[in-house]
């Protein structure tokens, strides 16, 4: 059978949304409405066509380089296309050609496919163990041939991987922590069954939270100020610069306006005092614990764990395959400054998943070289 060459062209937001409605494993970062949340980037919806049939999409975010009009074109956690049905060259070559012709000097893609997975309990027990330096020293519980083939294909096509070592870089993390919401047969798990992967201490604390006096509720956009008060408190306590209230209000309105119920605010309180808050985002059969915040008061009520269990229950009821809790380091060195994050997330049942990571292709080599030098200078 002769395959038609894939063509890339712009599509409307309506076409983009309609295509994603029938897809699985779609990241919220690849939904066209996310462009209304993500500031500082100019969005573009692109589609791959086989003859007249739309077979893939990408939300491309453009950021102009200083002084010149050329742009960095970024496809976070995408594109959304079946790499088993279409080779990476068939998908990425027409994308690169289209973007080069429209003034992009560099293309960054993060296909997001799984390469390897390590079980929560194994990682948890290996942290700080003699002879264990990184996840490379552990046998994964799962490997993906498709993910490995995509990585090799990206290298063969001239893409350069964003190497981060044991730390994080700008963009989407290569290693992420995910609580599985399905068993080995693919059946959805009840929230109680998910707790089997927790550490014994976390299980006990979660049960205390669920059996205690906490009130857990789902908030609306008007309640986002309650979240933000806890978020500011958390930012001060942990010494990071947070986002403004308007960002979270806009995110809640935009995401739910496009897909009702896709952005949920959870609040846990006791006797009228808010103790914890969290924001979960869902897209197709995936869910993300995107933001969390907590008070320094009443810590022994374990309010964040009550919220976590409610998110797990809701995400599993919605048919999600996992609850993603964000990036981690591949380190197993207990002295590394990110080791505590890995310990915390594996205590809450998160397997560690290595994705295909993010990759760069220079579309205009002199400008791409100059841009990389500029970004390196900014980091100093």
């Amino acid at each position: 059978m002769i395959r038609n060459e894939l063509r890339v062209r712009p599509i409307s937001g309506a076409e983009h949304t309609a295509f994603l409605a029938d897809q699985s494993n779609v990241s919220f970062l690849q939904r066209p409405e996310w462009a209304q949340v993500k500031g500082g980037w100019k969005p573009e919806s692109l589609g791959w066509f086989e003859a007249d049939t739309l077979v893939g999409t990408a939300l491309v975010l453009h950021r102009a380089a200083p002084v010149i009009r050329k742009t960095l074109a970024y496809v976070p956690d995408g594109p959304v296309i079946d790499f088993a049905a279409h080779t990476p060259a068939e998908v990425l070559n027409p994308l690169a050609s289209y973007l080069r012709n429209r003034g992009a000097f560099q293309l960054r893609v993060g296909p997001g496919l799984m390469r390897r997975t390590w079980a929560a309990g194994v990682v948890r027990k290996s942290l700080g163990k003699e002879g264990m330096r990184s996840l490379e020293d552990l046998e994964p519980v799962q490997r993906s041939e498709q993910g490995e083939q995509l990585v090799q294909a990206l290298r063969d096509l001239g893409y350069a991987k964003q190497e981060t070592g044991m730390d994080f870089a700008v963009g989407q993390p290569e290693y992420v922590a995910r609580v599985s919401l399905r068993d080995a047969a693919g059946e959805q798990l009840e929230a109680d069954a998910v707790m089997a992967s927790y550490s014994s201490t976390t299980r006990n604390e979660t049960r205390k939270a669920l059996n205690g006096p906490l009130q857990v509720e789902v908030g609306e956009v008007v309640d986002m100020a309650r979240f933000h008060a806890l978020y500011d408190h958390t930012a001060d306590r942990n010494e990071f610069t947070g986002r403004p209230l308007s960002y979270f209000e806009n995110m809640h309105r935009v995401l739910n306006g496009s897909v009702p119920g896709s952005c949920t605010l959870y609040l846990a309180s006791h006797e009228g005092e808010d103790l914890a808050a969290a924001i979960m985002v869902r897209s197709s059969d995936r869910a993300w614990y995107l933001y969390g915040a907590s008070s320094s008061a009443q810590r022994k009520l374990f309010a964040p764990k009550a919220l976590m269990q409610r998110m797990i229950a809701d995400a599993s009821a919605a048919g999600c395959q996992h609850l993603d809790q964000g990036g981690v380091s591949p380190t197993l060195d207990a002295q590394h400054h990110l080791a505590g994050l890995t310990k915390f997330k594996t205590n809450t049942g998160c397997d560690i998943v290595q994705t295909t990571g993010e990759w760069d292709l220079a579309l205009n080599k002199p400008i791409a070289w100059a841009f990389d030098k500029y970004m390196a200078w900014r980091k100093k």
Side-chain angles (χ1 to χ4, degrees):
M1 180 179 177
I2 299 175
R3 290 159 62 102
N4 291 311
E5 181 180 353
L6 296 184
R7 296 177 297 106
V8 171
R9 67 168 175 80
I11 57 176
S12 68
E15 287 178 292
H16 196 163
T17 298
F19 178 82
L20 295 182
D22 296 326
Q23 305 302 308
S24 61
N25 202 31
V26 177
S27 171
F28 71 96
L29 298 172
Q30 276 299 298
R31 307 195 75 89
E33 60 268 21
W34 182 250
Q36 300 175 50
V37 179
K38 183 74 171 176
W41 298 77
K42 182 179 179 181
E44 183 176 24
S45 287
L46 296 179
W48 279 261
F49 288 84
E50 187 171 19
D52 294 326
T53 302
L54 180 63
V55 297
T57 61
L59 173 65
V60 183
L61 301 174
H62 293 272
R63 171 164 282 176
V67 182
I68 62 175
R69 295 178 180 271
K70 304 288 186 179
T71 66
L72 167 67
Y74 180 33
V75 184
D77 219 354
V80 179
I81 194 166
D82 185 358
F83 280 103
H86 309 283
T87 69
E90 290 172 334
V91 172
L92 297 174
N93 286 347
L95 174 64
S97 178
Y98 170 87
L99 292 169
R100 182 185 292 110
N101 291 337
R102 279 149 183 81
F105 68 85
Q106 185 163 293
L107 167 61
R108 177 169 296 174
V109 296
L113 273 67
M114 184 271 287
R115 292 178 64 185
R116 294 180 290 182
T117 299
W118 292 268
V122 174
V123 177
R124 186 165 64 234
K125 292 175 183 176
S126 300
L127 275 167
K129 193 173 181 180
E130 186 176 355
M132 297 292 180
R133 296 184 178 181
S134 75
L135 292 174
E136 293 292 335
D137 297 319
L138 293 178
E139 184 64 26
V141 70
Q142 186 178 8
R143 296 177 185 267
S144 168
E145 183 178 350
Q146 185 183 49
E148 294 296 342
Q149 289 174 346
L150 178 55
V151 165
Q152 186 58 52
L154 285 162
R155 290 194 184 102
D156 293 343
L157 291 170
Y159 285 75
K161 188 170 179 290
Q162 286 281 308
E163 298 293 351
T164 60
M166 296 296 172
D167 292 317
F168 296 148
V170 175
Q172 298 308 303
E174 179 179 355
Y175 294 86
V176 293
R178 293 173 177 168
V179 180
S180 180
L181 303 180
R182 295 177 183 172
D183 63 18
E187 297 297 320
Q188 293 295 145
L189 293 169
E190 298 289 336
D192 285 347
V194 175
M195 273 203 288
S197 62
Y198 295 3
S199 70
S200 58
T201 299
T202 300
R203 271 198 305 275
N204 290 336
E205 292 174 352
T206 300
R207 290 189 178 113
K208 287 178 182 178
L210 297 177
N211 295 326
L214 291 169
Q215 178 184 354
V216 175
E217 60 184 304
V218 172
E220 301 298 331
V221 68
V222 295
D223 299 305
M224 200 59 78
R226 295 167 60 189
F227 163 83
H228 201 260
L230 290 170
Y231 176 74
D232 276 346
H233 175 74
T234 304
D236 290 341
R237 185 176 67 232
N238 295 332
E239 299 182 341
F240 68 86
T241 301
R243 295 182 181 275
L245 171 60
S246 58
Y247 175 85
F248 298 103
E249 291 174 331
N250 182 55
M251 179 172 66
H252 193 279
R253 278 193 294 262
V254 167
L255 298 187
N256 288 322
S258 179
V259 182
S262 59
C263 180
T264 308
L265 168 64
Y266 296 93
L267 297 152
S269 59
H270 175 57
E271 295 181 347
E273 179 182 9
D274 290 329
L275 299 179
I279 296 173
M280 184 176 76
V281 170
R282 286 191 291 108
S283 177
S284 66
D285 58 352
R286 299 171 65 184
W288 292 259
Y289 178 2
L290 205 56
Y291 290 97
S294 63
S295 168
S296 298
Q298 302 279 10
R299 303 302 288 269
K300 291 189 177 181
L301 291 180
F302 305 112
K305 290 181 172 61
L307 292 187
M308 172 70 72
Q309 209 63 9
R310 174 64 183 271
M311 284 188 283
I312 285 172
D314 288 354
S316 187
C320 295
Q321 55 181 301
H322 56 246
L323 177 63
D324 191 311
Q325 293 194 45
V328 293
S329 166
T331 188
L332 292 177
D333 179 0
Q335 303 306 311
H336 192 278
H337 68 102
L338 291 173
L341 186 63
T342 300
K343 182 178 181 180
F344 171 78
K345 291 183 178 181
T346 54
N347 278 344
T348 57
C350 290
D351 298 331
I352 306 303
V353 178
Q354 181 188 22
T355 70
T356 45
E358 296 197 322
W359 298 73
D360 289 334
L361 179 68
L363 304 177
N364 183 314
K365 290 185 177 179
I367 296 178
W369 178 86
F371 180 78
D372 287 343
K373 293 296 182 183
Y374 167 75
M375 294 303 292
W377 171 80
R378 280 189 57 181
K379 291 178 182 177
K380 292 181 179 179

